[in-house]
Amino acid sequence: MIGLLIGAAVMLVVATLNDVVGARVPVLSTLASAPVPENERPLSERTPPPPTPGTCLIWQRADAADAITVDCSRQHLFEQAGPVQLTDFNPGVPLPTNQRFRELVNERCTPLVVNYLTGKYDPSGAFRAGALKPSEKSWSDGDRTLRCGLQRFSRSGALYPIMGKVAAQDQADIRPPGTCLGIDGRFIGDPVDCALPHAEESVGAIDMTQKFKDKFPSANDQDGFLQPACTKLAADYSGGGNVISDKKLVVIWNNLTQQSWSAGTRKVACNLAAVLPDKSGYAPIIGSVKGPVQIGDKPAPPAQLQVPPGAPAPGSGSDSARDDNSDDSDSPPEPAQDQPSIAPPVPLPANPLPANPLGGGDNRQPTNPLGGDNRQPTNPLGGAAGQGTNPLGGAAGQANPLGGDKPAELPKPAGTNPTTPG
């Protein structure tokens, strides 16, 4: 409004000068003198943000073609680690398939991300290597730049916001108390309202430095500390330990791997869950433990995608990329031509609940709900016992994190001795 008033005053002065003294005053258009912000330009006219390491991007479109640079202290979806040139793809070859781009993210971007974080990358943590690929048009024009960076993964492929640079924070995959993780069949899904069917409810996190200062603690040592610590945290959150048992819930946590510890991860999430009668996975829960709870005795149906893979998750706070004068959301999206777009998400293996939520079947106290007879399955998210290289399960080298296609179910961990949770 102030700008409009000033502009009107200037035009009035100009008109007065013209009429009274015949002066010829050059007048510049306000549109010419005020550059159009980059995020207000049509996609076809925008300049892609430079792939500068350490800069952060946010977008609204599922293909990230409307990405803009924001300060990393603000919510963002992508922290750039740097570009790699796909020089082994000769001129004239077609744009690689989605599957090939998934492989390229693993092969080219993960090592670059590890180097960007000076080796302190937790593959079992909250962040994963991802990439922005060239558009089909820029690829045909010879662009072979793959922008590598870090994203907050999800199992559906939706992207969750990051605050601050990854190197400056604990990389633990933890959620605020009261966050419920949805359920996808027998497995964990993305965060949902606790009034909807879900697999887990967060009760908080434990800082392992309360007990362990320097040396990496064994799984048994971690369990000995986490069992009472998570149980107390859950009881305080729920209103008493009897509340948890009366509602047929169990306290679960995951152990840190050596690789996570070396990356500086020191926090462990504590959650509440329920188990299907046949111990084949998570039972669907409706309602928070702080109120009435319903637990299903059959697997939940497959989760439905809320947004396309690569798009900001619902409520992720990506509105900083929106302009008040932007096109209506019901309008068809403008085709992206020269802008880089999100690389296809790598499918995440499902995250099964280990068959024995109460720990080992020997004479020892059942300390770790995610344990088993050999006491070594330190990674509740899948993978071979004690290896923990891929927190999301699956074969080594397939840990890129953006979620995506529906994962296949994983077999139950071997060597467990199922018991019925109390």
Side-chain angles (χ1 to χ4, degrees):
M1 178 61 74
I2 293 174
L4 292 175
L5 291 175
I6 293 173
V10 170
M11 295 300 294
L12 178 60
V13 170
V14 170
T16 302
L17 287 172
N18 284 338
D19 292 342
V20 176
V21 299
R24 305 299 298 175
V25 179
V27 179
L28 296 177
S29 164
T30 55
L31 292 177
S33 60
V36 178
E38 187 69 24
N39 64 330
E40 294 180 21
R41 296 176 181 272
L43 288 181
S44 58
E45 298 179 8
R46 295 186 191 180
T47 302
T52 307
T55 57
C56 296
L57 307 177
I58 195 166
W59 57 82
Q60 288 183 293
R61 289 172 51 122
D63 60 5
D66 58 340
I68 60 172
T69 303
V70 295
D71 191 287
C72 292
S73 63
R74 297 171 57 190
Q75 286 192 350
H76 56 275
L77 298 176
F78 192 79
E79 180 180 339
Q80 298 195 101
V84 294
Q85 297 299 323
L86 304 178
T87 55
D88 46 327
F89 289 84
N90 294 325
V93 300
L95 188 72
T97 63
N98 283 351
Q99 178 57 38
R100 183 63 183 127
F101 264 119
R102 293 184 180 107
E103 295 169 355
L104 289 168
V105 169
N106 286 326
E107 295 168 5
R108 315 289 174 90
C109 286
T110 299
L112 189 149
V113 163
V114 171
N115 184 65
Y116 170 73
L117 294 174
T118 63
K120 294 186 177 297
Y121 172 62
D122 182 359
S124 303
F127 310 104
R128 294 289 183 280
L132 296 174
K133 65 177 183 177
S135 69
E136 188 163 1
K137 182 179 184 302
S138 63
W139 179 272
S140 65
D141 291 341
D143 182 9
R144 296 294 184 268
T145 304
L146 191 64
R147 298 162 175 252
C148 301
L150 288 151
Q151 293 172 306
R152 182 77 160 90
F153 80 93
S154 77
R155 288 165 180 81
S156 71
L159 300 182
Y160 286 84
I162 303 171
M163 292 285 288
K165 291 192 174 182
V166 171
Q169 54 190 293
D170 193 301
Q171 297 179 41
D173 183 19
I174 57 177
R175 308 277 180 175
T179 302
C180 288
L181 292 177
I183 189 165
D184 184 5
R186 295 175 171 85
F187 309 111
I188 290 178
D190 292 353
V192 297
D193 190 293
C194 292
L196 299 175
H198 56 272
E200 292 183 347
E201 180 174 357
S202 170
V203 300
I206 299 297
D207 190 336
M208 299 291 280
T209 60
Q210 297 176 32
K211 174 73 172 178
F212 308 103
K213 303 301 181 183
D214 299 312
K215 184 181 177 182
F216 171 67
S218 68
N220 281 339
D221 288 342
Q222 291 185 52
D223 290 341
F225 172 62
L226 289 170
Q227 190 273 335
C230 279
T231 299
K232 182 181 186 304
L233 199 63
D236 292 344
Y237 172 85
S238 305
N242 60 315
V243 174
I244 298 171
S245 58
D246 289 347
K247 295 183 178 181
K248 308 300 181 186
L249 299 171
V250 293
V251 182
I252 65 173
W253 65 88
N254 60 290
N255 298 115
L256 294 179
T257 66
Q258 175 70 70
Q259 197 168 6
S260 297
W261 187 268
S262 297
T265 302
R266 295 294 184 270
K267 294 180 180 179
V268 171
C270 303
N271 300 293
L272 292 171
V275 188
L276 288 168
D278 62 0
K279 313 296 187 300
S280 62
Y282 287 94
I285 305 169
I286 296 177
S288 168
V289 68
K290 294 187 175 184
V293 167
Q294 299 177 29
I295 299 177
D297 58 2
K298 294 180 175 59
Q304 301 298 312
L305 290 179
Q306 300 299 308
V307 296
S316 64
S318 62
D319 287 344
S320 59
R322 185 189 299 275
D323 175 71
D324 291 338
N325 297 320
S326 61
D327 293 337
D328 188 271
S329 59
D330 293 333
S331 301
E334 179 186 351
Q337 297 180 0
D338 295 323
Q339 309 302 314
S341 61
I342 190 72
V346 174
L348 296 185
N351 183 8
L353 178 74
N356 182 2
L358 296 180
D362 49 28
N363 294 327
R364 290 171 287 188
Q365 182 180 1
T367 55
N368 184 0
L370 296 174
D373 289 346
N374 63 6
R375 315 298 296 164
Q376 293 181 359
T378 56
N379 181 3
L381 297 177
Q387 292 180 354
T389 54
N390 180 358
L392 299 173
Q398 296 180 354
N400 175 23
L402 297 179
D405 302 341
K406 183 169 181 58
E409 295 185 1
L410 296 181
K412 292 184 291 185
T416 56
N417 181 20
T419 62
T420 301

